[in-house]
Amino acid sequence: MDMELALTADLGNSRLKLCVWSLDRKVVVERATFDVELGVGSRAVEFARKYRSFLAIGMSSVASAARESEVAEALRGIGGRFELAPDAGLTIDVREPARVGRDRLYAARGALAAESTCDTGFVIVDAGTALTVDALVGSTFLGGAIAPGPTLLARALAEHTARLPLVEPSVGTPALGKDTEAAVRAGVVVGFRGAAREL
């Protein structure tokens, strides 16, 4: 008997993350990650074609409108019911609910699904191109904060100062930098941890 499959696509600023799900077993069958660049839609289709069909395809995007359109059109061509930005099933208690990134809502929904017995609420932290820290009480999304991620911080310093180098953030960086590169790395890595903790 064939499994019923669904495909989810998380199109971020830097990467497209795909997951093939077994709806019967409620598990991920396979994952793939691609850098977001021209042609990423065709790479997604190539990955998905290994599977005969999908019952549903859901896509979330915080990427540019052009990149979102490219990937959405490619995934629509695979077949199966396609939905862009499916409802997260949360009450959204912010000034402009339609402008909240679906990635933030899905992360909050994932926390709720994973720990449904929690009766005090959640702080959801997601670190990628951007750092998001959000609050959820019951099934109500209360909002949060968005800050640059370490790579974005490093790039901003290099591009908007005359003499600071571009550094590659790395895990385990100490707070005390002994030269300029190490000091910048400390600022973007340790400072990022501090921002996450404070938020």
Side-chain angles (χ1 to χ4, degrees):
M1 182 170 154
D2 287 338
M3 287 187 292
E4 286 195 331
L5 299 175
L7 177 69
T8 56
D10 176 6
L11 181 59
N13 292 296
S14 306
R15 291 181 184 83
L16 169 63
K17 293 171 277 220
L18 301 171
C19 284
V20 176
W21 296 83
S22 163
L23 297 176
D24 308 319
R25 297 186 344 231
K26 294 184 171 64
V27 295
V28 173
V29 175
E30 187 177 4
R31 299 174 196 268
T33 302
F34 303 105
D35 288 339
V36 172
E37 56 193 21
L38 191 60
V40 69
S42 59
R43 295 187 72 194
V45 169
E46 184 180 321
F47 166 77
R49 290 274 185 231
K50 293 187 271 185
Y51 299 91
R52 253 198 2 229
S53 64
F54 294 100
L55 191 63
I57 300 169
M59 180 175 145
S60 166
S61 172
V62 295
S64 69
R67 193 66 71 230
E68 178 181 297
S69 179
E70 173 199 347
V71 174
E73 285 308 308
L75 293 178
R76 277 188 183 101
I78 293 172
R81 183 174 48 88
F82 178 85
E83 190 169 351
L84 179 60
D87 183 33
L90 300 172
T91 301
I92 306 170
D93 185 12
V94 300
R95 282 193 200 107
E96 297 180 70
R99 294 192 63 200
V100 177
R102 291 291 169 181
D103 56 336
R104 295 169 65 196
L105 296 175
Y106 298 147
R109 181 59 192 207
L112 184 61
E115 295 294 334
S116 60
T117 59
C118 178
D119 57 1
T120 57
F122 299 90
V123 173
I124 300 100
V125 179
D126 187 10
T129 303
L131 165 69
T132 61
V133 181
D134 294 306
L136 181 73
V137 173
S139 63
T140 302
F141 179 88
L142 300 174
I146 303 172
T151 301
L152 199 54
L153 285 169
R155 193 176 311 138
L157 282 172
E159 290 175 6
H160 297 285
T161 61
R163 296 187 180 192
L164 293 180
L166 178 61
V167 299
E168 185 66 35
S170 58
V171 175
T173 296
L176 186 62
K178 294 292 195 174
D179 57 34
T180 301
E181 287 80 5
V184 171
R185 193 172 287 111
V188 300
V189 174
V190 180
F192 175 78
R193 284 198 315 256
R197 188 171 40 252
E198 192 65 23
L199 291 171

